[in-house]
Amino acid sequence: MKHKRDYYEVLGVSREASDQEIKSAYRRLAMQHHPDRNPESKDESEEKFKELTEAYSVLADAQKRAAYDRFGHAGVGGAGGAPDFNASIFSDFEDIFGDLFGFGDVFGRTGRARTRNTGAVDLRYDLEINLEEAASGLETKIKIPRWEPCSTCDGTGAKPGSKPMSCGTCAGRGQIRHQQGFFTVTRTCPECQGMGQVIRDACPHCSGEGRMNAERVLGLKIPPGVDDGTRLRVAGEGGVAARGSAPGDLYVIVKIREHPFFERRANDLYYTIPISIAQASLGAEIVIPTLRGEERLRIPEGTQSGSVFRIRGQGMPRLEGRGAGDLFITVFVVTPTRLTRDHRRWLEILAPFVRVDNKPLERRAAEKVKDIFG
Ligand SMILES: [Zn+2]
Ligand SMILES: [Zn+2]
């Protein structure tokens, strides 16, 4: 990773600089290094411009600046990480420059930032399912409240029979340009808010907004193997923000209910099952649950408490790729309690045959036991 320069140094101001000084320094340097003004060294000036912008986005924000002053780069956006360039920063820049530069273009984004009024709306839906459903996958229906294009005017906002008119102020371009010094200044048209069209006769259903509130039932297919927190994107099923805009995406966040005994770690499943002292000593075949039904598990004679049995392929299916994880079963030998006099007698007879050396376990063996029970 490249060494990050001090933000004050980047803007060429002192640590005591006022907000106004920071703003002017940024404005001056940003104009000087703007990639559009340096076509012969575009990459370099783009780097420079980003560095400036990052520095400004921190120092212009009192809270972030204080954090930076105390903790340096680590105080803002983590070690070496760039602070997030969020929409509010961009609108702040618009205050400084107007629409002088297309900030979206500089950062490789689409025109969304500039046409904020016509952007798409991404939606989030939390879907809670159980572990069995996560394993098998499922098809379900969900109800999404969202903004959709108005059905009366097809989202145009114009009364049926009429049409949106091309905006006279900007000649339908949505932007107004004029020359200022050696810059061509572009501003969003105030008449049509950048849409290039104006409504003369508003649609009575949506009052010209071009959208309406709807509750949509969507079929949803959850693939086998999803995990808690898996995010599924359903393209184009989000909402619309205003007339003429394309719909955003719907993000379904999967939440998996805790299972009474299966514990999931990645694609493997775990649980603990009790066995009797007789089963552990003599061996036994027991019936155990899996996600797909019951299975038989052979407990060999002389099984110790804490032994782990692995059943391959009985874990969760892999979301990407083939196959499935494994099932790990820990056995736990239950010591009999509430003995009758007869039981006690039998155990006393047995005692000489089951004697063990009561000496401390060597560390490595003890660690193993701790792992199993910890
Ligand atoms: Zn309408
Ligand atoms: Zn206009």
Side-chain angles (χ1 to χ4, degrees), residues 150-158 203-211:
C150 169
S151 58
T152 306
C153 62
D154 277 335
T156 63
C203 162
H205 187 199
C206 63
S207 323
E209 259 203 84
R211 60 175 191 168

Side-chain angles (χ1 to χ4, degrees), residues 4 22 33 37 43 90-91 94 98 138 149 186 203 205 237 259 296 298 344 373:
K4 258 174 119 72
I22 287 171
H33 294 288
R37 293 203 58 203
D43 288 350
F90 282 102
S91 62
E94 282 183 12
L138 101 139
T186 308
C203 162
H205 187 199
E237 293 291 358
H259 193 277
R296 294 185 163 273
R298 247 201 63 68
R344 201 173 279 279
F373 290 105

Side-chain angles (χ1 to χ4, degrees), residues 51-356:
E51 190 186 25
L52 284 166
T53 303
E54 183 182 321
Y56 175 71
S57 73
V58 169
L59 298 188
D61 180 313
Q63 229 174 344
K64 286 186 188 164
R65 184 177 176 183
Y68 178 73
D69 285 346
R70 286 192 62 188
F71 307 110
H73 291 296
V76 283
D84 43 338
F85 291 105
N86 59 32
S88 67
I89 290 170
F90 282 102
S91 62
D92 189 20
F93 291 147
E94 282 183 12
D95 290 345
I96 299 181
F97 296 121
D99 277 355
L100 192 54
F101 306 125
F103 278 98
D105 303 340
V106 173
F107 292 100
R109 309 196 315 179
T110 58
R112 264 192 197 180
R114 270 189 288 171
T115 52
R116 276 175 298 168
N117 298 328
T118 57
V121 179
D122 290 337
L123 298 176
R124 173 194 170 129
Y125 185 91
D126 293 299
L127 179 72
E128 198 178 284
I129 60 176
N130 62 34
L131 191 68
E132 286 85 351
E133 290 170 325
S136 60
L138 101 139
E139 284 184 40
T140 185
K141 287 191 161 58
I142 58 173
K143 210 190 256 182
I144 308 282
R146 67 182 184 194
W147 288 100
E148 294 188 345
C150 169
S151 58
T152 306
C153 62
D154 277 335
T156 63
K159 192 173 169 179
S162 76
K163 273 189 184 156
M165 313 255 294
S166 181
C167 172
T169 310
C170 61
R173 279 195 293 269
Q175 291 183 329
I176 301 174
R177 300 163 150 267
H178 58 268
Q179 202 73 24
Q180 183 179 304
F182 36 58
F183 288 122
T184 304
V185 181
T186 308
R187 283 181 190 283
T188 301
C189 171
E191 178 70 20
C192 62
Q193 276 86 44
M195 291 185 200
Q197 291 185 325
V198 286
I199 308 288
R200 295 279 177 248
D201 289 314
C203 162
H205 187 199
C206 63
S207 323
E209 259 203 84
R211 60 175 191 168
M212 58 180 196
N213 229 325
E215 201 158 51
R216 188 64 53 187
V217 176
L218 294 175
L220 201 61
K221 219 171 156 174
I222 307 295
V226 288
D227 205 344
D228 193 50
T230 295
R231 200 177 76 149
L232 303 165
R233 175 169 166 263
V234 191
E237 293 291 358
V240 297
R243 66 188 160 91
S245 80
D249 299 328
L250 169 69
Y251 290 93
V252 176
I253 316 285
V254 177
K255 165 112 188 78
I256 299 178
R257 262 177 242 124
E258 205 166 275
H259 193 277
F261 56 82
F262 281 116
E263 187 195 332
R264 179 181 186 173
R265 290 182 221 156
N267 291 314
D268 295 329
L269 293 173
Y270 297 79
Y271 63 71
T272 299
I273 204 159
I275 57 173
S276 76
I277 199 161
Q279 289 173 315
S281 311
L282 304 172
E285 194 173 83
I286 60 170
V287 175
I288 49 127
T290 73
L291 272 182
R292 296 163 193 84
E294 291 183 331
E295 287 269 332
R296 294 185 163 273
L297 176 68
R298 247 201 63 68
I299 307 285
E301 69 174 68
T303 292
Q304 300 296 337
S305 194
S307 298
V308 179
F309 296 89
R310 172 186 195 156
I311 306 182
R312 286 185 192 275
Q314 288 290 359
M316 296 295 284
R318 288 179 221 291
L319 186 56
E320 277 147 40
R322 292 151 157 261
D326 301 331
L327 172 61
F328 293 87
I329 300 165
T330 304
V331 296
F332 161 69
V333 177
V334 179
T335 305
T337 52
R338 282 192 293 252
L339 302 176
T340 64
R341 186 182 300 201
D342 271 352
H343 297 153
R344 201 173 279 279
R345 280 243 323 279
W346 281 110
L347 282 173
E348 278 163 4
I349 291 167
L350 207 55
F353 302 102
V354 296
R355 187 169 290 145
V356 296

